[in-house]
């Protein structure tokens, strides 16, 4: 497990994390596992899901295939979840980015990002919330981005979907509060995931770090620790908020 990881008691909780097989999603999964949660993690590659189940799956950890760009797959996923009566925590983490100037984007790009980043969490939340209402308990975290608060060139579609996801967060928080369900957005800044390391040179990483007041990228576990708190019973009053974890970047 990562150093300096918060540990809270999730022994009796079932946590569903989309996009939980890599990057920030995997880090979030790791800190929940360290806190004793029963985990359901999703990914889009059926072969990878099968391999992960064979290698790590067990009574407290299950991997399922879920691809928000495929309606048939979404339907199959819901069917596989019908026999699970209780989901205590939902973390809508799965998402993609397409970088390009607004004038160069097209309808397929628009549809792809909306389906995966916005419609997917909307559909899944509607399904899971029914279970939470029945149990009068739930915590939902929508993983947004600093680009839900600010933007830059070539991020029109991504910023649009992440703003939309936080808008969904706010209304869900109001409607679900009477059912003891708290809903928040968590917006990471630049984070040192494996993908970030692979797609940036050392000089590029230093250039990014120099723009951040703390002068470094976030470690994935630093994002995961915040998710753990938001999903815990220690959080009893915070709802409808967009928690930015970015080392101060959006204030510069």
């Amino acid at each position: 497990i990562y150093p300096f990881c918060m540990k809270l008691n999730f022994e009796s909780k079932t946590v569903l994390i989309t996009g939980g097989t890599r990057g920030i999603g995997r880090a979030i999964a790791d800190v929940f596992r360290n806190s004793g949660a029963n985990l359901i993690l999703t990914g889009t590659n059926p072969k990878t899901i099968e391999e992960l189940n064979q290698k790590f799956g067990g009574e407290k950890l299950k991997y399922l295939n879920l691809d928000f760009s495929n309606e048939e797959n979404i339907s199959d996923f819901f069917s596989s979840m019908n026999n699970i009566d209780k989901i205590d925590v939902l973390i809508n983490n799965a998402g993609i980015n397409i970088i390009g100037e607004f004038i160069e984007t097209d309808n397929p790009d628009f549809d792809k990002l909306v389906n995966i980043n916005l419609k997917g969490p909307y559909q899944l939340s509607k399904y899971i919330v029914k279970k939470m209402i029945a149990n009068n308990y739930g915590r939902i975290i929508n993983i947004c981005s600093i680009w839900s608060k600010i933007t830059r060139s070539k991020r029109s579609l991504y910023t649009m979907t992440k703003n939309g996801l936080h808008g969904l967060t706010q209304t869900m928080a109001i409607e679900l509060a009477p059912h003891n369900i708290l809903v928040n957005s968590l917006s990471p800044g630049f984070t040192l995931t494996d993908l970030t390391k692979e797609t940036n040179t050392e000089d590029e990483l230093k250039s990014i770090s120099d723009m951040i007041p703390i002068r470094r990228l976030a470690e994935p576990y630093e994002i995961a620790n915040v998710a753990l708190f938001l999903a815990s019973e220690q959080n009893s009053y915070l709802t409808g908020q967009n928690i930015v974890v970015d080392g101060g970047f959006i204030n510069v």
Side-chain angles (χ1 to χ4, degrees), residues 64-117:
L64 295 176
N65 180 233
L66 176 59
D67 182 353
F68 284 132
S69 66
N70 185 323
E71 286 291 339
E72 184 178 348
N73 178 262
I74 295 170
S75 179
D76 289 343
F77 176 81
F78 288 163
S79 295
S80 71
M81 295 285 290
N82 282 339
N83 62 341
I84 299 175
D85 295 328
K86 186 169 77 81
I87 299 291
D88 300 287
V89 178
L90 168 62
I91 300 181
N92 285 307
N93 169 72
I96 63 166
N97 191 3
I98 296 176
I99 294 175
E101 295 282 352
F102 168 70
I103 199 69
E104 296 170 356
T105 60
D106 55 26
N107 286 346
D109 291 339
F110 178 96
D111 291 342
K112 187 171 185 178
L113 258 75
V114 168
N115 284 337
I116 294 173
N117 292 0

Side-chain angles (χ1 to χ4, degrees), residues 89-212:
V89 178
L90 168 62
I91 300 181
N92 285 307
N93 169 72
I96 63 166
N97 191 3
I98 296 176
I99 294 175
E101 295 282 352
F102 168 70
I103 199 69
E104 296 170 356
T105 60
D106 55 26
N107 286 346
D109 291 339
F110 178 96
D111 291 342
K112 187 171 185 178
L113 258 75
V114 168
N115 284 337
I116 294 173
N117 292 0
L118 190 53
K119 185 179 177 182
Y122 162 79
Q123 290 176 293
L124 182 57
S125 296
K126 281 190 70 174
Y127 176 83
I128 297 299
V129 156
K130 293 173 185 176
K131 298 177 186 289
M132 291 180 171
I133 290 174
N135 291 299
N136 196 45
Y137 182 88
R139 299 288 185 270
I140 299 173
I141 303 170
N142 292 320
I143 303 300
C144 289
S145 165
I146 53 172
W147 310 119
S148 71
K149 298 286 288 185
I150 59 174
T151 192
R152 60 165 52 175
S153 178
K154 300 183 180 181
R155 280 171 174 75
S156 59
L157 296 182
Y158 188 72
T159 295
M160 176 191 70
T161 59
K162 292 302 183 178
N163 269 286
L165 186 57
H166 180 57
L168 178 63
T169 297
Q170 292 174 296
T171 307
M172 286 173 62
I174 294 169
E175 295 179 0
L176 298 175
H179 302 285
N180 194 27
I181 301 169
L182 306 184
V183 188
N184 289 287
S185 297
L186 173 55
S187 289
F190 297 102
T191 304
L192 201 57
T193 62
D194 290 340
L195 183 62
T196 301
K197 295 174 188 175
E198 291 166 8
T199 55
N200 291 276
T201 66
E202 286 294 325
D203 287 343
E204 288 169 333
L205 290 174
K206 184 178 185 309
S207 177
I208 294 170
S209 297
D210 288 344
M211 296 188 296
I212 302 169

